[in-house]
Amino acid sequence: MTEPVRLSKRMSELGLCSRREADEWIARGWVRVDGAIVSELGSKVLPHQRISVERQASAQQARRVTVLLNKPMGYVSGQAEDGYKPAVTLVNAESRWKEDKASQQFHPSQLRSLVPAGRLDIDSVGLLVLTQDGRIAKQLIGEDTAIEKEYLVRVQYTKPGRLPEADLKLLNHGLSLDGKKLLPAKVRWQNDDQLSFILREGKKRQIRRMCEAVGLKVLGLKRVRIGRVTLGNLPPGQWRYLGSDEKF
């Protein structure tokens, strides 16, 4: 006998929405289980039961925006801290990239619940995704995400000579952080002082700590790609909408 699970959890597992969205839709009477409306929060379902959502829920979801920002140094990804501004303060009508091809018009209501899907620390720059869409957040930062994130990292070797080949191999696979083995990465030299890192996870200050472990000091770190979406020519401090034809 399969155990019943919370309806909101099951909706999230199916990729219909985030758990928070699911609770909101359930409370509004927008969710049906096997054709019957379920409006009680905390309701449970069995895995074989059919879940559908009303048109109002789909319409609300379609209005949710996802923004791509080229984060400059000195901004934090999430909540304001230690006097530093959050990256979302850069999203306004004036700082929208002039070459953004999306037909959407900017409206301040789009800033409501616009949250970062993944982080870039205060000293790092490049592609930061801010979204109102729980499905995209889950796709990018969910526990089972397999979406690659690519970084260009300027480094300085703190020991005599050049980084040994064995240590480059270690960056690719074999390092542990906080007592846990890291997933395999793709790390290669771009030029004499710059490495390309492609990761499928995002532990706090992961690249800086990986570099430290093999005697490399990070001088600059820029995220240039998340899945199939690239930073491209987006200028620092400016943003654009994720296009309707773009998928991570």
Side-chain angles (χ1 to χ4, degrees), residues 103-124:
S103 58
Q104 276 148 312
Q105 294 297 307
F106 174 74
H107 191 273
S109 65
Q110 293 166 356
L111 298 173
R112 203 176 303 132
S113 305
L114 189 68
V115 294
R119 50 177 287 129
L120 264 184
D121 67 46
I122 194 163
D123 303 318
S124 302

Side-chain angles (χ1 to χ4, degrees), residues 51-67:
I51 300 167
S52 58
V53 297
E54 301 291 273
R55 279 205 307 271
Q56 300 98 306
S58 303
Q60 187 196 65
Q61 205 166 44
R63 288 196 297 273
R64 302 216 154 141
V65 299
T66 296
V67 159

